[in-house]
Amino acid sequence: MPLTLCDVGPRDGLQNESEVLEPLVRADLVNRLAAAGLPRVEAVSFVRDDRVPQMARAEEVVAAIERRDGTEYSGLVLNEQGYERFAAAGLDRVNATLGATETFNQRNGNASLEEAIARVEQILAAASEPATVTISVAFGCPFEGRVDPGRVVELAGRFEGTEVVLADTIGVAVPHEVRELVSRTGSAGFHGHNTRNAGYANALAALEAGASVLDASVGGLGGCPYAPRATGNIATEDLAYLLEGEGIETGVDLDALIATSTWLEGVLGRRLEGQLYRAGTWPAT
């Protein structure tokens, strides 16, 4: 099955930044990522502005996107109200997310685990678009600690027939755990954070276990406002460099991704977490 790299920078990347970027700037980021050949870009999330102000005015972002053939544009939702906004905006894929633990769902979505499951099921029943279910804190929770893999297996089984992505939201997993859990759940994807510098190895482990979707964030931006010390995602350009070196075709333009991170560094006024955009490709192009 072909590999799908999904850049979540415009959503997961920017939601942890202190600066709130204007919708036109966020749309520009989406457009640059699509132009770099990303097969999927998570453009926005449809959540309450007061909860995640960095994602406010999502509809304006969507309206300013210059759609490109070959790129699938997704949006994240937590509940039915978010899905209604998603459907009206007209994106290509809905990403319905929930946490693997009771406390994380309460903090992130103001719902119990069972309520979060019910919300996702209702979204899937209503959706006419392709759908992804992302299970956050699948390997460890900032509030409850280690997560029983059996719980994640059972939870993933509730969404059989839907693309399921396992998220290492706080970056605590190591490769054998990723390999085992992706294999046991049959999940299609992995969303890794590089908090403890194992994110890239974990992405390779997910592929070895059969995953075909990898989330990453341009420049290594990212984090979760409701997960303390959850630092950035693995950097899209760094991951693409690794995969290409391993003989895995990504279809992305590394130079364009590097240019996007360089541009974003200027927009945010600080050095980003990714390394390739500073080191450059090798051999140099």
Side-chain angles (χ1 to χ4, degrees):
M1 184 177 295
L3 171 66
T4 298
L5 276 185
C6 175
D7 194 294
V8 299
R11 196 276 305 172
D12 198 14
L14 294 181
Q15 74 176 11
N16 213 42
E17 291 294 311
S18 57
E19 184 178 358
V20 178
L21 300 183
E22 288 297 312
L24 287 179
V25 178
R26 289 152 56 194
D28 192 3
L29 175 57
V30 173
N31 292 336
R32 289 169 184 261
L33 293 170
L38 268 298
R40 187 184 298 176
V41 178
E42 191 162 272
V44 292
S45 64
F46 295 94
V47 293
R48 283 171 41 184
D49 293 357
D50 61 329
R51 297 274 290 178
V52 188
Q54 297 87 341
M55 292 293 102
R57 300 159 67 188
E59 288 82 357
E60 294 179 44
V61 176
V62 175
I65 292 172
E66 299 169 2
R67 302 293 182 94
R68 290 177 66 94
D69 291 340
T71 297
E72 184 180 48
Y73 299 86
S74 72
L76 181 140
V77 304
L78 292 175
N79 52 37
E80 302 92 312
Q81 292 79 14
Y83 174 72
E84 290 172 1
R85 292 177 61 194
F86 165 91
L91 290 176
D92 304 320
R93 173 176 289 270
V94 60
N95 182 6
T97 185
L98 76 165
T101 68
E102 185 74 25
T103 308
F104 189 82
N105 284 297
Q106 292 284 0
R107 299 290 184 93
N108 190 55
N110 195 30
S112 68
L113 176 56
E114 283 303 316
E115 287 170 336
I117 292 170
R119 287 177 175 179
V120 171
E121 290 175 338
Q122 289 166 359
I123 291 165
L124 295 179
S128 58
E129 308 82 3
T132 296
V133 173
T134 297
I135 301 176
S136 300
V137 298
F139 300 88
C141 174
F143 311 110
E144 297 186 21
R146 291 190 178 275
V147 175
D148 178 6
R151 177 195 299 180
V152 180
V153 172
E154 181 181 356
L155 188 55
R158 300 282 292 264
F159 309 111
E160 187 174 355
T162 301
E163 179 182 276
V164 172
V165 172
L166 303 181
D168 184 20
T169 309
I170 57 173
V172 294
V174 293
H176 83 270
E177 294 172 320
V178 174
R179 196 177 295 112
E180 291 170 7
L181 195 56
V182 169
S183 179
R184 287 182 63 185
T185 58
S187 296
F190 175 71
H191 174 109
H193 286 237
N194 202 40
T195 312
R196 291 165 179 83
N197 207 32
Y200 299 96
N202 288 339
L204 286 181
L207 289 182
E208 292 169 3
S212 58
V213 177
L214 292 177
D215 286 357
S217 177
V218 62
L221 289 181
C224 177
Y226 298 98
R229 300 171 69 182
T231 53
N233 299 52
I234 53 179
T236 308
E237 62 272 27
D238 295 28
L239 178 61
Y241 175 85
L242 172 64
L243 294 173
E244 294 281 355
E246 289 292 302
I248 302 169
E249 179 63 40
T250 66
V252 303
D253 182 339
L254 272 178
D255 290 332
L257 279 179
I258 289 170
T260 299
S261 284
T262 302
W263 167 80
L264 192 55
E265 179 184 68
V267 170
L268 296 174
R270 65 172 182 83
R271 195 176 86 169
L272 308 183
E273 298 298 323
Q275 298 186 39
L276 187 72
Y277 88 96
R278 286 177 277 122
T281 56
W282 189 89
T285 55

